[in-house]
Amino acid sequence: MKLHRMPGEGQQLFSGYGAGYVAVNAVRYEQSVLVTPEAVVEWPVHEFDALTASDFAFIGEQRPEVVILGTGAAQRFPARELARALAASGAGVEIMDSKAACRTYNFLVAEGRKVIAAILIE
């Protein structure tokens, strides 16, 4: 599916998504990524069930207001221990399927929010 570009030229915005990929500013990524308005970086995470608190160390480094976790084709919730660690990070954490995560991220960026999207591609 193609997403329409929103205001904020020069910012990293999702421009599409599909089975096994997301596109940011028309660049296709087929591996998990962390996306901020300033940058896209590979996220060395390959399986939802293998997520650990250390996979979210970027929260402490970046200090976002909101972290959006895109869990792939379906919304899945992390184990209780990981959910507690994420809640203790100080950032608001929203968990949704990756399609919804891409759309939500774009809206929050348009509002000027400090947001990071962590999109899992399995």
Side-chain angles (χ1 to χ4, degrees), residues 53-109:
S54 65
D55 293 320
F56 295 90
F58 64 85
I59 295 174
E61 298 163 6
Q62 298 291 317
R63 319 277 289 161
E65 294 174 52
V66 179
V67 174
I68 301 170
L69 174 59
T71 59
Q75 181 182 32
R76 297 180 280 177
F77 293 96
R80 233 179 274 155
E81 299 78 28
L82 180 56
R84 281 192 206 115
L86 291 173
S89 73
V93 179
E94 297 294 333
I95 300 168
M96 54 193 74
D97 67 70
S98 291
K99 291 177 183 180
C102 292
R103 292 189 306 266
T104 302
Y105 167 88
N106 282 358
F107 287 121
L108 292 175
V109 169

Side-chain angles (χ1 to χ4, degrees), residues 26-70:
V27 176
R28 186 178 172 121
Y29 296 89
E30 296 180 354
Q31 69 281 335
S32 300
V33 291
L34 297 174
V35 182
T36 69
E38 298 80 27
V40 179
V41 296
E42 289 185 23
W43 189 31
V45 173
H46 305 289
E47 295 179 32
F48 178 81
D49 292 329
L51 286 171
T52 66
S54 65
D55 293 320
F56 295 90
F58 64 85
I59 295 174
E61 298 163 6
Q62 298 291 317
R63 319 277 289 161
E65 294 174 52
V66 179
V67 174
I68 301 170
L69 174 59

Side-chain angles (χ1 to χ4, degrees), residues 1-7 13-16 106:
M1 172 178 265
K2 186 175 182 179
L3 298 176
H4 295 286
R5 187 171 211 81
M6 299 176 73
L13 297 171
F14 289 97
S15 55
N106 282 358

